[in-house]
Amino acid sequence: MTKITRRTALQTGIAAGAVLAAPSVVRAQAKPSAAKTVRAVFHGDIPTYDPIWTTANMTAYHGGMVYDTLFGIDAQKNPQPQMVSKYGVSDNKLLYTFELRDGLKWHDGTPVTSADVVPSLKRWAARDGGGQHMMLRVKDIAAKDAKTFTIELKEPYGLVLDVLAKTSTPVCFMMRKKEAETDPMQKIDQVVGSGPFTLNLAETKPGTQYVYDRNPNYVPRSEAPSGISGGKKVNLDRVIFVNMPDAQTAVAALQAGEIDFYEVPPTDLLPQLEGDKNIKIQVLNELGNVGQVRPNFLHPPFNNEKARQALLYVVKQSDHMKASFGDSKYAKPCSSFFGMGTAMENDANIDWFKGGQNFEKAKQLFKEAGYDGRPVVLMQATNIAIMSNASQLLAQELRKAGVNVKVEAMDWSNVVQRRANKNPPDQGGWNLFITWSGGNAIGNPIILSAHAATGDKAWFGWPSDAKHEVLRDKWAAAPTLEARKAVAREMAANAWNFVPQLYYGQWVQPAAMRANLNNVLPVAEIIPWWNATKG
């Protein structure tokens, strides 16, 4: 295996992913001027245009451009109406009534109606952990007229607006009835939203660039923008998502003015950028990201709890963080099941963390799990530096614990496709993959899909634990913040026993941008381009 160095980790390029099928979209207007065009480089390619089918952040970035949401989280983490003009809740807390605001149109010019909203909600809820949790309490979702729809509950549920407004993936984006009625297990083949931008099919080149033009028919709310809520006023004519071959190329392009925004500049190059008067550095997600190792509960060895517990003694988070970030103020280990710095952070059941890496303990646990030396398939996303680096380090750590690791290299788009495969690893399935989630989502037991432990209905890895689900219900019903913190402590104590996932660290990623790019809103897990100005 190639020796891992910080430089090899950082030079892992933002390579092109699998070629996407070109969807039908509305054609763009005349080509805009460079003065109102932003070229942005992100952490990876867009694996699919369907933001409901996947939890991939890049698809959520795409979704935020072309789609809109019924509610949005503001800067204070409170849900606010977005596509909804007004709403009410019955005295018994069982009936929510919503009215759509005026001026909502799909990119094809047709009006947004309740007939679109109802199947959109149902399709989203079938894929989203928070939506699934809510739907267990939902009796019916119905359109009352063209602008009015209702959500009728079986029992009071205080998180309705929170799950509708969340930025954790999959975001509750609204789609036309035609697309919304697509089987939630199948990807949509058209991109027609009602959001502030349209996807320009003519100039989009999947794997290379994605071109978004200002939607001239979008009617923003009157409120000031806050989080992903408020008025989505578009000041730019065009935003282009550009893939770059490697980090150094992206940094050079930023300094040369060839691009305007770079989401993930390597931390060892930040001093170079900070010394450039034409560049500014900004943290857009204050809680950052939590790196996750996701085991597959369906097949040996990780269908056995002891093998999953062994992983806790294999991973040394400080090594993972140093490899990608060096001795950086932006990265740290994460011992709390709900992330560091979140309201639910706690230190329940973390003796494994306090004791540090312990290969002998891991070997014993693998032995107790009945591990027989069969290959353990670890999927490595080679085109996203942190994931690629973490995969290589994890493979080395597992081998030291006596595990026969088979690293299968592919780009992130193919990881996204393959992680849905429930077959045994030798039949196209897998045992482990690396990902990350935003700290804001990690800190909430309901809105993060990865926190569900509902077996076949759970997120990829399909963890199952009845006690965990009882505690998630208890958390959702808790009347106060302190009560929720107490339940979160119970959940963490139990989770570090059955181990639905483990972490390889937590980091804040500073973004770098040209000095003339202003008003980019700080939002967890989505980078919005409304409100932004250039010049």
Side-chain angles (χ1 to χ4, degrees):
M1 172 179 282
T2 302
K3 181 180 179 182
I4 302 167
T5 66
R6 219 173 142 221
R7 177 53 52 201
T8 58
L10 294 171
Q11 288 181 340
T12 304
I14 308 297
V19 175
L20 302 171
S24 298
V25 292
V26 177
R27 306 294 182 183
Q29 304 84 38
K31 189 171 183 177
S33 69
K36 287 195 172 183
T37 297
V38 164
R39 297 172 65 85
V41 172
F42 298 99
H43 64 268
D45 193 18
I46 298 174
T48 170
Y49 288 124
D50 188 344
I52 304 304
W53 185 85
T54 184
T55 56
N57 288 87
M58 281 306 306
T59 298
Y61 292 4
H62 155 79
M65 301 294 280
V66 298
Y67 298 107
D68 214 342
T69 57
L70 297 172
F71 286 78
I73 291 290
D74 66 18
Q76 288 72 46
K77 307 296 190 293
N78 297 314
Q80 302 293 347
Q82 187 56 39
M83 295 173 74
V84 167
S85 62
K86 58 184 178 181
Y87 66 97
V89 186
S90 63
D91 290 341
N92 64 4
K93 309 297 183 185
L94 295 180
L95 184 67
Y96 284 73
T97 302
F98 306 90
E99 183 177 300
L100 295 172
R101 65 186 178 91
D102 294 332
L104 299 178
K105 291 183 178 180
W106 299 111
H107 295 160
D108 63 6
T110 58
V112 177
T113 71
S114 298
D116 303 300
V117 170
V118 172
S120 290
L121 283 171
K122 291 179 178 178
R123 184 171 188 264
W124 159 78
R127 297 298 305 231
D128 178 68
Q132 291 170 357
H133 195 263
M134 180 183 76
M135 288 300 288
L136 292 173
R137 285 102 183 144
V138 170
K139 182 178 180 180
D140 189 34
I141 301 176
K144 296 305 179 183
D145 58 42
K147 294 183 66 174
T148 309
F149 65 96
T150 59
I151 298 178
E152 185 179 2
L153 302 175
K154 303 172 187 175
E155 61 187 70
Y157 186 66
L159 299 178
V160 171
L161 303 186
D162 296 84
V163 295
L164 296 180
K166 69 186 182 70
T167 56
S168 60
T169 57
V171 178
C172 188
F173 291 120
M174 294 296 102
M175 297 182 174
R176 291 187 310 177
K177 182 175 186 288
K178 178 181 178 181
E179 286 77 51
E181 290 181 340
T182 302
D183 182 337
M185 300 301 127
Q186 303 297 319
K187 288 176 278 189
I188 60 169
D189 59 4
Q190 293 185 310
V191 181
V192 181
S194 66
F197 292 87
T198 62
L199 178 63
N200 183 329
L201 177 62
E203 297 196 39
T204 289
K205 300 174 182 178
T208 302
Q209 68 174 25
Y210 303 84
V211 180
Y212 300 90
D213 292 325
R214 181 179 65 86
N215 176 8
N217 299 316
Y218 184 78
V219 179
R221 296 184 67 90
S222 60
E223 302 94 334
S226 177
I228 63 164
S229 72
K232 296 182 177 180
K233 183 179 179 182
V234 178
N235 303 306
L236 304 169
D237 287 341
R238 174 170 287 184
V239 178
I240 305 174
F241 291 12
V242 183
N243 285 338
M244 286 285 176
D246 61 60
Q248 289 179 319
T249 299
V251 167
L254 182 67
Q255 290 192 289
E258 296 167 1
I259 63 172
D260 303 283
F261 180 91
Y262 184 25
E263 181 189 15
V264 289
T267 54
D268 65 341
L269 296 181
L270 286 177
Q272 173 184 335
L273 294 172
E274 289 167 342
D276 187 332
K277 62 181 175 55
N278 295 310
I279 305 295
K280 59 185 177 182
I281 307 298
Q282 183 178 351
V283 172
L284 299 174
N285 181 357
E286 61 183 13
L287 283 177
N289 301 303
V290 178
Q292 298 156 270
V293 180
R294 192 75 173 177
N296 189 333
F297 275 55
L298 300 183
H299 307 292
F302 301 115
N303 61 341
N304 188 292
E305 185 176 272
K306 294 290 187 180
R308 299 193 301 272
Q309 290 172 359
L311 293 172
L312 297 175
Y313 297 92
V314 165
V315 172
K316 187 175 182 180
Q317 294 187 29
S318 58
D319 284 352
H320 282 260
M321 292 296 93
K322 279 185 179 180
S324 291
F325 298 101
D327 294 320
S328 170
K329 64 182 179 181
Y330 297 111
K332 59 188 176 185
C334 178
S335 59
S336 170
F337 186 70
F338 293 110
M340 312 305 287
T342 70
M344 298 300 122
E345 176 188 344
N346 64 72
D347 61 356
N349 194 14
I350 61 168
D351 285 348
W352 56 270
F353 181 84
K354 294 176 180 177
Q357 191 176 55
N358 188 333
F359 291 124
E360 293 307 312
K361 176 71 171 177
K363 288 178 181 178
Q364 180 60 36
L365 286 167
F366 276 122
K367 181 178 179 180
E368 292 175 20
Y371 176 59
D372 57 6
R374 73 183 63 191
V376 167
V377 173
L378 167 61
M379 294 190 290
Q380 177 193 14
T382 56
N383 63 319
I384 298 180
I386 296 170
M387 291 184 185
S388 180
N389 189 45
S391 297
Q392 292 183 63
L393 278 172
L394 178 59
Q396 290 183 3
E397 291 168 326
L398 285 167
R399 289 179 181 123
K400 290 180 181 179
V403 177
N404 178 14
V405 181
K406 182 181 180 183
V407 178
E408 300 207 0
M410 61 195 80
D411 64 28
W412 177 241
S413 296
N414 282 310
V415 173
V416 168
Q417 304 291 331
R418 185 167 170 181
R419 68 185 182 181
N421 191 329
K422 293 183 177 180
N423 289 336
D426 60 356
Q427 297 177 33
W430 55 275
N431 295 111
L432 295 165
F433 76 92
I434 300 290
T435 186
W436 77 65
S437 294
N440 181 62
I442 286 280
N444 188 303
I446 303 302
I447 68 170
L448 181 73
S449 294
H451 278 326
T454 50
D456 281 348
K457 295 180 180 179
W459 196 62
F460 310 112
W462 307 285
S464 179
D465 188 83
K467 182 178 179 180
H468 184 77
E469 287 305 302
V470 169
L471 289 171
R472 286 211 309 150
D473 291 346
K474 185 179 177 181
W475 187 92
T480 66
L481 177 61
E482 290 307 312
R484 283 185 172 175
K485 287 182 177 180
V487 179
R489 190 171 186 85
E490 289 184 73
M491 291 181 70
N494 179 60
W496 289 136
N497 287 333
F498 82 95
V499 196
Q501 59 194 6
L502 61 148
Y503 305 140
Y504 58 91
Q506 184 167 345
W507 64 92
V508 173
Q509 176 63 59
M513 64 195 80
R514 300 289 295 179
N516 65 344
L517 183 60
N518 296 301
N519 304 312
V520 179
L521 292 165
V523 176
E525 298 173 286
I526 283 184
I527 298 179
W529 289 102
W530 56 89
N531 195 59
T533 57
K534 182 179 178 182

